Amino acid sequence: MLSRGNTAPMFFRLLSKFPQGFSFCFAYGSGVKQQLGYESVRSKRNMIDLIYVVDNAHRWHTANLDQNFEHYSSMRLLGGGLIAKYQESFGARVYFNTLVQIPEEDVIIKYGVVSTKDLLEDLTDWRCLYLAGRLHKPVEIIRNASSSKIQNAMEQNLRSAVHAALLLLPEKFTEFELYRAISNLSYSGDFRMIFGENKDKVNNIVRPQLENFRNLYSATFEEFRGCLELPIAGSDNQICTQDLAEPTILAHLNRLPKWPIRLIVERQTSGRYRQDTEDILIGVSRATNYQSIVASCLRSIVWSSSVWQSIKNIPTAGFVKSVRYSWAKALKTFS
């Protein structure tokens, strides 16, 4: 079980305000997990970000329109069916309602809705590396996954994150640098980092949460004992060592999710001819620039999904809320 701390009673009260047909729910971001440069956890100034995972988006949005009509922009006029289709058609397959006032709790929330099948695909294949990236980091699980498929996919996502991070790291690095590399997988390439986010965001996420990262990845690291030597405990400045032999690099490459491998293969062949995937990965494992090859492919995935999801979010938020949300992000960045 990927438990990440005690769930506050407030979250249970929040859940009661929504249709109950969801299979998993978690909260993330500076509103629930401490980040340097922001006020303390669950500060009233920090919006709480929630993700609802639903088996049937059409049914869930229809019920939520009946219950929380005012949460939606003018897209509510389309009805639950078209909203669900919009959600599942492009971007990161998530539909967000933002700047939702919950006066009884004196908080503001943003919540995303994603279909179970789309979450599973992102966790296992990294097609968007969007919610998969959020789940590389400590989050607050509000309702545990009702399906073992989700739980297994979350654990696979953590293993994939370690494989990818080790491919990007040198032979020796600190524990902090390891968690920073993992966290940066879904930020490197995100176009919002150019102008909408604090450039030290990744450091600010990792530094105050080292113990949470240790708890999150402790079981996963057991599977890497043959190629990764971690400090037993203590300072985040203690040195970690990994094996950089070609067979180990090849093993990491082979265990990357489907979409990064696909991009690596496409870029190495440039579409000119067909070649066995294993032969291509062997060639990459022997290349002196294998790190930049992997990094470039991961950035490409994140860039595409972040651009299209941000465009997608404009009509779901509505023009006024989009401006308010962007302005609030800018104030946080430059404050």
Side-chain angles (χ1 to χ4, degrees):
M1 190 68 64
L2 293 175
S3 175
R4 298 174 175 80
N6 297 323
T7 302
M10 177 189 69
F11 287 123
F12 288 118
R13 295 193 296 269
L14 281 176
L15 291 193
S16 69
K17 301 179 185 299
F18 293 89
Q20 295 305 294
F22 51 88
S23 54
F24 180 48
C25 179
F26 66 92
Y28 66 94
S30 59
V32 293
K33 292 295 182 182
Q34 184 180 357
Q35 294 182 21
L36 297 181
Y38 293 90
E39 291 193 355
S40 61
V41 174
R42 299 190 187 103
S43 163
K44 294 177 184 178
R45 290 184 58 192
N46 291 336
M47 184 164 57
I48 294 173
D49 297 281
L50 293 161
I51 294 292
Y52 291 103
V53 183
V54 302
D55 290 334
N56 188 311
H58 181 174
R59 186 162 54 228
W60 197 91
H61 281 296
T62 299
N64 198 39
L65 284 167
D66 289 339
Q67 195 167 336
N68 297 300
F69 189 74
E70 70 282 359
H71 290 184
Y72 291 79
S73 68
S74 58
M75 288 194 67
R76 59 194 175 191
L77 301 177
L78 298 176
L82 288 178
I83 288 175
K85 187 172 183 179
Y86 184 75
Q87 170 192 310
E88 296 175 339
S89 294
F90 65 98
R93 312 299 197 264
V94 188
Y95 185 100
F96 281 105
N97 285 324
T98 192
L99 296 177
V100 174
Q101 302 276 349
I102 309 293
E104 311 91 278
E105 303 295 339
D106 195 21
V107 296
I108 300 173
I109 69 171
K110 178 181 76 174
Y111 65 93
V113 183
V114 64
S115 296
T116 303
K117 62 180 178 60
D118 290 325
L119 175 67
L120 289 173
E121 182 181 36
D122 199 30
L123 290 173
T124 58
D125 295 348
W126 286 11
R127 178 172 182 168
C128 300
L129 197 44
Y130 192 83
L131 293 182
R134 280 152 179 75
L135 288 166
H136 288 161
K137 299 174 277 291
V139 300
E140 191 84 8
I141 293 182
I142 312 304
R143 179 169 295 178
N144 285 321
S146 61
S147 164
S148 60
K149 287 184 179 181
I150 295 177
Q151 189 64 37
N152 292 338
M154 290 169 66
E155 292 168 0
Q156 181 178 338
N157 183 47
L158 296 183
R159 290 192 293 271
S160 297
V162 177
H163 284 298
L166 291 178
L167 283 167
L168 301 177
L169 286 164
E171 181 181 9
K172 296 182 182 297
F173 46 87
T174 65
E175 186 183 15
F176 171 78
E177 288 170 335
L178 172 58
Y179 296 133
R180 184 176 63 188
I182 289 172
S183 299
N184 197 48
L185 294 173
S186 58
Y187 283 115
S188 180
D190 190 332
F191 91 101
R192 294 171 298 178
M193 295 296 290
I194 298 174
F195 62 89
E197 292 285 3
N198 189 324
K199 299 302 183 292
D200 291 324
K201 185 177 181 70
V202 177
N203 289 341
N204 293 344
I205 289 173
V206 177
R207 183 65 69 185
Q209 293 197 76
L210 280 171
E211 193 59 37
N212 288 334
F213 274 98
R214 288 173 184 141
N215 293 336
L216 179 59
Y217 281 93
S218 60
T220 304
F221 286 149
E222 287 296 315
E223 302 179 32
F224 288 79
R225 293 181 69 178
C227 64
L228 175 62
E229 182 180 336
L230 291 170
I232 295 176
S235 171
D236 59 296
N237 290 318
Q238 291 182 355
I239 298 300
C240 310
T241 305
Q242 67 161 321
D243 178 15
L244 290 184
E246 285 179 12
T248 304
I249 295 170
L250 178 60
H252 290 319
L253 289 168
N254 273 309
R255 288 170 176 78
L256 288 176
K258 173 182 174 180
W259 280 84
I261 289 179
R262 178 176 173 177
L263 278 180
I264 290 171
V265 170
E266 288 178 353
R267 291 185 177 193
Q268 292 304 110
T269 61
S270 301
R272 293 191 301 271
Y273 55 90
R274 296 184 62 85
Q275 189 177 351
D276 184 72
T277 295
E278 183 66 15
D279 289 340
I280 293 172
L281 294 184
I282 290 173
V284 172
S285 71
R286 294 172 176 171
T288 57
N289 65 332
Y290 74 89
Q291 291 177 319
S292 63
I293 292 172
V294 173
S296 175
C297 291
L298 293 174
R299 284 197 302 270
S300 177
I301 293 171
V302 174
W303 172 267
S304 178
S305 65
S306 66
V307 167
W308 284 109
Q309 184 64 41
S310 294
I311 293 171
K312 177 180 180 177
N313 288 346
I314 295 172
T316 67
F319 178 76
V320 174
K321 280 189 176 182
S322 293
V323 172
R324 286 173 58 197
Y325 181 70
S326 299
W327 180 247
K329 295 286 283 187
L331 288 177
K332 281 186 178 182
T333 300
F334 297 109
S335 62

